[in-house]
Amino acid sequence: MTENRRETFRLGERTIRRMGYGAMQLAGPGVFGPPKDHATALAVLREAVASGVNHIDTSDFYGPHVTNRLIREALFPYADDLVIVTKVGAVRGADASWNPAQSPAELTQAVHDNLRNLGVDALEIVNLRVMGRVHEPSEGSIAAQFSALAALQRQGLIRHLGLSNVTTAQIAEASAIAPVVCVQNNYNVIHRDDDTLIDQLAARNIAYVPFFPLGGFTPLQSSTLSHVAARVGATARQVALAWLLQRSPNILLIPGTSSLGHLRENLAAAELTLPEPALSALEAIRTEAGNPPPARHD
Ligand SMILES: NC(=O)c1ccc[n+]([C@@H]2O[C@H](COP(=O)([O-])OP(=O)(O)OC[C@H]3O[C@@H](n4cnc5c(N)ncnc54)[C@H](OP(=O)(O)O)[C@@H]3O)[C@@H](O)[C@H]2O)c1
């Protein structure tokens, strides 16, 4: 990957490439237990970094502990430019359930679990994952949780803080407690609830990191997307990722995959520039999906 202003973003104190990698898919089925292929999981991580990825998204509750331990096994000692972003706020049940863990004691435990399993003295960025309506945010104060993380930041265990699955009001509430450097919410070329929020964060130089950029557990399905992909000579996944990169300069990508082939396909999307007719054609997706047209798209 080449490096210029279009392809990089200042995240906290670090400049990272906008095309990153999300490690969640490396854990076993249902993001629980060991990977289906340990050697391939390590190879995916190593090839991502060798290809220029210097932003990896993870959590100690993926597995649990699995993706962090794979990252450490594959990449430790870490390259100076590698930024590992983790998230806290949930624990896994023995039945693979995802349960809130938002008390100060639970958040502190989660930070120490991440430090130990990643093998670092301080975490570069920690996102508070608010549970909301599972993959959508809902209103409610997050002051107690975010204050607990801000205290750990003051102790030097966390360099920067972010938020995940949050509303505009929650970002404002948290920002009054400590600086927020990134927001990680559910967003992609079809699911565009955060269009206004992305523009607001861009104006404040806060990164927006969409989770489910390829649809997550429900892969993106759209005839418009397929038609545009055929026209520009790319795959539908590459068009979905390239569209995000062009949507706003503060969008950072963390597509998740457990496959070397998919990793290569996804990283190549950073080289794809969608022409104006393709961008216009992609606007039809909202109507196709039965949604109202977006408020803004540039
Ligand atoms: N903050 C949060 O609450 C939250 C929630 C979910 C995820 N995340 C983060 O966001 C990252 C991205 O989300 P995600 O991994 O759930 O969803 P995603 O990136 O939208 O999609 C991943 C899915 O697409 C498949 N895939 C990836 N590349 C492909 C390709 N080129 N062709 C065909 N299929 C492909 C993957 O399967 P294969 O493994 O077979 O490629 C996997 O099933 C995660 O890794 C995680 O780090 C955060």
Side-chain angles (χ1 to χ4, degrees), residues 22-25 36 57-58 62 87 129 135 164-165 184 210-217 237 254-259 261-263 265-266:
M24 186 177 91
Q25 302 296 337
K36 57 179 183 283
D57 184 80
T58 185
Y62 295 158
K87 63 187 78 65
R129 208 304 185 173
H135 295 132
S164 178
N165 207 34
Q184 189 174 120
F211 72 76
F212 297 163
L214 299 171
F217 299 113
R237 271 84 50 183
I254 51 164
T257 182
S258 56
S259 145
H262 290 168
L263 175 74
E265 179 183 334
N266 298 345

Side-chain angles (χ1 to χ4, degrees), residues 63-74:
H65 318 302
V66 170
T67 62
N68 279 350
R69 289 175 183 165
L70 287 168
I71 290 169
R72 183 177 183 169
E73 183 179 353

Side-chain angles (χ1 to χ4, degrees), residues 173-217:
E173 184 186 38
S175 299
I177 296 167
V180 172
V181 300
C182 53
V183 171
Q184 189 174 120
N185 277 5
N186 182 354
Y187 182 83
N188 56 51
V189 67
I190 294 179
H191 182 88
R192 292 174 54 179
D193 289 357
D194 275 353
D195 269 329
T196 303
L197 175 62
I198 289 167
D199 296 335
Q200 291 168 348
L201 295 175
R204 295 167 58 195
N205 282 322
I206 296 175
Y208 183 89
V209 189
F211 72 76
F212 297 163
L214 299 171
F217 299 113

Side-chain angles (χ1 to χ4, degrees), residues 93-112:
D95 58 352
S97 55
W98 304 75
N99 304 306
Q102 306 253 326
S103 72
E106 289 169 314
L107 294 170
T108 302
Q109 178 68 48
V111 164
H112 283 283

